[in-house]
Amino acid sequence: MGNIPETGRTRRITGRLLVLQVLVLSLLGTLGGRLWYLQIRSGASYAQQASSNHIRTVVVPAVRGEILDSNGVPLADNTTKLVVSVSRTALLQQKDGGKAVLTRLGQVLGMTYEDMHDKVRLCDAKTPRPCWNGSPYQPIPVTQTANTQQAMQIMERQEDFPGVTASPSAVRLYPAPSGANAAQILGYLSPVTQDEITAATDANGKSSLAPSDQVGRAGLEYQYDKALRGVNGTTNLEVDNLGRVIGTAGGNASVPGSDVVTSIDARIQALAEQQLNDAMVTLRKTYDTVTHENFKADSGAVVVMDVHTGRIIAMASAPTYNPNIWSGGISAKDYAALNSQNSDYPMLNRAIQGQSAPGSTFKVVSTTAALNAGYTYDSTFPCTSSMTIGGRVFKNFEGENFGAINLSKALEVSCDTVFYNIAYQQWLSDGGTKPKHPQDWLYKTAHQFGLGADTGIDLPGEVKGRVPDRQWHQDYYNEMKDTWCRQAKTETDPYLRAIASEDCVDFATLRAGDEVNYAIGQGDTLVTPIQMARIYSALANGGTLYQPQLAKAVVSPGGRTVQQIKPVVQGHLPTTPHMINYIDQATANVITSGTAAWKFQGWPQDKVQLHAKTGTAEVVGKQTTSWFDTYTKDYAIVMTISQGGTGSGGSGPAVRNIYNALYGIQADGKIDPSKAIRPAAQTSLPSFHPDGTVTQPVSWTAPQTYPADSGTPLLAALDIAALAPERRGDA
């Protein structure tokens, strides 16, 4: 006991205490060092991060630019509508998660709670639309069609509608006050997808697209989306630890999108749409003596082109639709209707996506090919009612017989057997079924005319058509051989079995019948209206193939030209000036004494020389397709109507009415320049003011037009007062 110190500690205890003191001091030192590092050495960095934790960025959408016609008249505009929006943050602060608020709001707006709930829920991989694809801190629009009374109910009873606002907002408007529909030209908008946001993300992880953005999906809205969309702004919101907004912390202003000025003339566009529609309505009341029923006239297109620039003045496609159904989100019912066979797919732009055999309008290509192959301007050919090739009878249209005629007369009266004869001779000279060094003038010339390739028009989705030359026959045979050979064994229909058996053996070989049919625009040949408009424009201007264009310029919100889009020369026809003069005379005779003369009596040919080629293309199992391809020294107009009968009978009167309006031609054949609606010069732009507004043209009333079934004038009540709505306020 005497060895124990007075303090009661042994050496062992003292040692342990010493170790403990060292550990405590080490921990305190480590803590102090860490506090110094966090608060002094890295204090500024952590302070910045802490601050950012309570900042939420909300996108301020840029106002979309307008799409204008050549005079500055809006084709796609922005209008102000009362938009009712809901804040998710405010809803989540309610005890019931906002159910009562949404129920009351739905009662005011005439919607169910389920409708409201679906609109404000957030999108994810498992949530079907409708849902909100934007920031959860951003007000979510639930309707763009609120009326003033509904807005007043909401704003006067804010205690019943916390987080709900009703305010004016810019909404896309189609069609604008121009009177032109132009649905397939303009396109439409719909919400951006996550894939598009990802694709627009740069190396720093910043995307030019926001989840709430609307982007162009078709037409000019798609083609010039980047210019039209502008640059979104941002608003920084301060939130507390519960996510409630407690203030703002600056941001960036949005930059409005630029306007796109087009070569479309809204007056002519509206007239072309009306004439195409009226022609189809008339045809549906007209008896087809071949099928013994009225014409179905189920679809069609018309193109009006400036022959000296390739610019499109009007382009109509039927059937059409009202593109406003996309504004605010399209319903499932409307979307299904747009993509239904019953509606005949009105979203298709048949001017650039509608492919069909061109019929006799193709004969200008065959004529050029014949002259380049060595036939002369005076060479004559028998225009018989039919001819037999390889045991098969090829008939002239309606069995006509004009005796021995030259190529010019063959174009004028559209004699099929003349072109059958030339094609058969060329097929034989190329070696028939065993060619060695074929010249293929007919196919080569079609490619030189730009067929079988897209024209490069500034619209998405253009199709190429088809030139069924030797290479196409081989490629298609490789693709279909197994199917045809199997069908030759299993097909129960004798006719179809015989066709399949023949194709199984020798479709890869260009047969006499293939080339003979091809020479008159039949067989496997496919073209689009825009391709034919470019060809007939080239004939009008001396042989230059221009790229068809719709946009003339991109103009900033302040009226400054950002980009001038100039005409583009793509090539030249394989013609000489003498050859074009020869074709000019033949196509002028079509109007005065040829296949279109019966629909153009009284036309002032001495003042406005009109050139035309009619086409009546046969389609298996359907009524004939009407083609009418024309040009003057200024314009080319091409119209086609599926199951619309003959070229002159089905499309001729409508094309004549468009020319009447362009030149001011009256019912008596006289020209009144004051009533002509000649488009603005395609090299000029509308007059923009510093605030971005445009000087508008005066109002216009269409001149007299003529229905297809009589010569009685029909007054077209097209009063197009080209008054633009108030500008976006972005100057």
Side-chain angles (χ1 to χ4, degrees):
M1 303 296 292
N3 293 331
I4 299 175
E6 294 180 359
T7 59
R9 296 190 230 175
T10 64
R11 289 182 178 180
R12 180 177 294 177
I13 293 174
T14 301
R16 289 177 178 176
L17 289 173
L18 182 61
V19 171
L20 182 61
Q21 289 172 353
V22 171
L23 288 174
V24 170
L25 290 174
S26 297
L27 289 172
L28 290 173
T30 301
L31 181 60
R34 183 61 178 167
L35 288 173
W36 175 85
Y37 177 81
L38 293 174
Q39 296 183 9
I40 299 176
R41 177 69 182 273
S42 303
S45 173
Y46 282 101
Q48 183 178 0
Q49 292 183 37
S51 175
S52 65
N53 281 339
H54 69 274
I55 298 295
R56 298 291 183 268
T57 300
V58 172
V59 174
V60 179
V63 177
R64 196 169 179 86
E66 298 172 351
I67 300 176
L68 308 171
D69 88 337
S70 58
N71 295 307
V73 177
L75 298 171
D77 197 7
N78 299 307
T79 187
T80 301
K81 290 188 177 181
L82 279 173
V83 178
V84 176
S85 302
V86 175
S87 168
R88 277 184 56 86
T89 301
L91 290 181
L92 295 176
Q93 292 174 359
Q94 305 296 309
K95 292 181 179 180
D96 60 355
K99 183 175 182 179
V101 174
L102 292 179
T103 300
R104 287 193 293 271
L105 182 59
Q107 291 171 348
V108 172
L109 300 176
M111 302 167 68
T112 65
Y113 165 75
E114 289 73 19
D115 291 335
M116 305 298 296
H117 172 268
D118 290 350
K119 286 178 176 289
V120 301
R121 63 185 176 180
L122 301 181
C123 292
D124 57 32
K126 298 181 180 179
T127 303
R129 293 184 183 276
C131 58
W132 177 242
N133 199 34
S135 167
Y137 296 97
Q138 190 165 347
I140 302 171
V142 294
T143 182
Q144 297 177 342
T145 58
N147 56 44
T148 305
Q149 182 179 357
Q150 291 169 331
M152 292 297 292
Q153 284 183 264
I154 294 168
M155 300 312 293
E156 289 178 352
R157 296 162 49 198
Q158 277 293 286
E159 68 279 3
D160 291 333
F161 301 103
V164 180
T165 58
S167 60
S169 182
V171 177
R172 206 58 164 172
L173 175 64
Y174 311 98
S178 64
N181 177 264
Q184 294 85 2
I185 295 176
L186 298 172
Y188 60 94
L189 307 179
S190 72
V192 70
T193 66
Q194 185 57 51
D195 288 344
E196 289 168 327
I197 295 173
T198 302
T201 301
D202 59 23
N204 298 320
K206 185 177 181 181
S207 178
S208 60
L209 291 170
S212 57
D213 274 346
Q214 298 271 315
V215 295
R217 292 297 179 202
L220 293 172
E221 293 279 29
Y222 172 89
Q223 193 75 20
Y224 296 96
D225 180 69
K226 187 175 181 180
L228 289 165
R229 194 179 343 120
V231 180
N232 291 332
T234 58
T235 297
N236 296 323
L237 302 178
E238 294 181 348
V239 298
D240 60 16
N241 61 338
L242 296 177
R244 296 174 297 195
V245 178
I246 58 176
T248 59
N252 299 311
S254 62
V255 179
S258 296
D259 294 336
V260 172
V261 180
T262 71
S263 55
I264 294 293
D265 188 303
R267 303 166 301 172
I268 303 169
Q269 177 69 27
L271 182 64
E273 291 169 355
Q274 174 203 335
Q275 288 302 317
L276 176 61
N277 179 74
D278 288 355
M280 293 171 66
V281 170
T282 299
L283 284 167
R284 291 172 193 145
K285 300 175 183 177
T286 304
Y287 186 72
D288 181 3
T289 57
V290 176
T291 61
H292 305 293
E293 59 182 344
N294 288 356
F295 288 105
K296 292 183 173 62
D298 50 14
S299 62
V302 59
V303 176
V304 183
M305 181 182 286
D306 182 304
V307 302
H308 301 294
T309 61
R311 298 195 187 279
I312 306 300
I313 297 168
M315 176 187 286
S317 179
T320 189
Y321 68 99
N322 183 355
N324 282 309
I325 62 176
W326 291 95
S327 297
I330 190 170
S331 68
K333 180 181 179 182
D334 286 338
Y335 185 79
L338 287 179
N339 291 277
S340 166
Q341 185 175 359
N342 293 333
S343 63
D344 209 356
Y345 309 103
M347 291 177 64
L348 281 177
N349 184 347
R350 286 171 165 82
I352 66 170
Q353 296 173 312
Q355 303 180 103
S356 67
S360 294
T361 61
F362 184 79
K363 289 174 181 174
V364 295
V365 178
S366 300
T367 299
T368 304
L371 293 171
N372 283 331
Y375 297 96
T376 70
Y377 299 102
D378 297 323
S379 297
T380 59
F381 311 86
C383 179
T384 56
S385 60
S386 66
M387 66 181 298
T388 302
I389 299 173
R392 180 180 171 188
V393 177
F394 292 84
K395 295 181 179 180
N396 199 10
F397 185 69
E398 294 183 343
E400 294 173 315
N401 187 332
F402 291 95
I405 59 176
N406 61 14
L407 283 168
S408 178
K409 189 66 175 180
L411 275 179
E412 176 187 330
V413 300
S414 202
C415 180
D416 290 340
T417 48
V418 166
F419 294 96
Y420 291 152
N421 194 345
I422 292 172
Y424 185 52
Q425 290 178 16
Q426 287 298 301
W427 180 79
L428 290 174
S429 67
D430 283 335
T433 57
K434 297 180 180 180
K436 293 183 178 179
H437 303 288
Q439 294 297 308
D440 284 337
W441 283 106
L442 285 163
Y443 299 100
K444 182 191 304 181
T445 303
H447 286 295
Q448 291 171 327
F449 269 68
L451 297 178
D454 58 48
T455 66
I457 188 172
D458 50 347
L459 287 175
E462 182 187 8
V463 298
K464 296 181 178 181
R466 183 168 67 207
V467 175
D469 53 17
R470 296 181 193 276
Q471 186 61 53
W472 177 81
H473 270 267
Q474 183 64 60
D475 292 343
Y476 198 54
Y477 177 73
N478 294 340
E479 180 182 342
M480 297 296 296
K481 177 183 177 181
D482 293 343
T483 300
W484 287 330
C485 294
R486 183 170 55 252
Q487 188 177 4
K489 297 178 181 178
T490 60
E491 178 60 55
T492 56
D493 184 292
Y495 175 76
L496 295 178
R497 184 171 64 252
I499 295 295
S501 299
E502 183 179 348
D503 290 343
C504 171
V505 174
D506 67 351
F507 187 87
T509 302
L510 187 66
R511 297 160 293 195
D514 296 323
E515 189 150 353
V516 165
N517 267 326
Y518 167 78
I520 64 164
Q522 292 284 174
D524 294 304
T525 310
L526 293 176
V527 301
T528 63
I530 192 66
Q531 289 176 326
M532 300 308 288
R534 183 172 66 154
I535 286 174
Y536 279 78
S537 288
L539 290 172
N541 66 37
T544 301
L545 287 165
Y546 283 98
Q547 176 179 309
Q549 290 180 330
L550 284 155
K552 293 172 64 175
V554 176
V555 179
S556 71
R560 180 177 60 85
T561 302
V562 177
Q563 178 187 4
Q564 186 105 21
I565 303 170
K566 297 181 179 180
V568 177
V569 174
Q570 294 178 313
H572 296 83
L573 299 180
T575 55
T576 64
H578 183 50
M579 198 181 296
I580 286 185
N581 288 337
Y582 186 78
I583 294 173
D584 275 350
Q585 186 59 56
T587 52
N589 289 343
V590 170
I591 294 294
T592 57
S593 56
T595 54
W598 69 299
K599 287 295 183 181
F600 281 82
Q601 295 178 13
W603 178 263
Q605 187 77 337
D606 57 331
K607 297 181 178 64
V608 180
Q609 190 172 81
L610 180 60
H611 306 261
K613 187 69 198 77
T614 58
T616 307
E618 296 180 2
V619 183
V620 177
K622 292 186 176 182
Q623 296 166 314
T624 55
T625 299
S626 169
W627 279 92
F628 196 57
D629 298 3
T630 66
Y631 62 92
T632 65
K633 63 182 181 62
D634 307 299
Y635 314 108
I637 301 179
V638 169
M639 180 177 286
T640 182
I641 300 175
S642 170
Q643 304 200 85
T646 65
S648 54
S651 302
V655 171
R656 178 173 183 168
N657 284 335
I658 297 173
Y659 277 119
N660 287 341
L662 284 168
Y663 289 102
I665 300 172
Q666 304 304 295
D668 57 5
K670 294 181 179 179
I671 298 176
D672 185 346
S674 68
K675 294 185 178 178
I677 52 169
R678 302 295 292 274
Q682 292 302 315
T683 55
S684 64
L685 293 177
S687 177
F688 284 85
H689 303 301
D691 65 351
T693 57
V694 185
T695 299
Q696 297 296 326
V698 297
S699 62
W700 167 82
T701 302
Q704 291 177 326
T705 59
Y706 312 94
D709 54 356
S710 76
T712 306
L714 172 67
L715 291 178
L718 284 182
D719 185 14
I720 302 177
L723 302 175
E726 188 174 344
R727 178 68 179 181
R728 304 189 301 274
D730 50 21

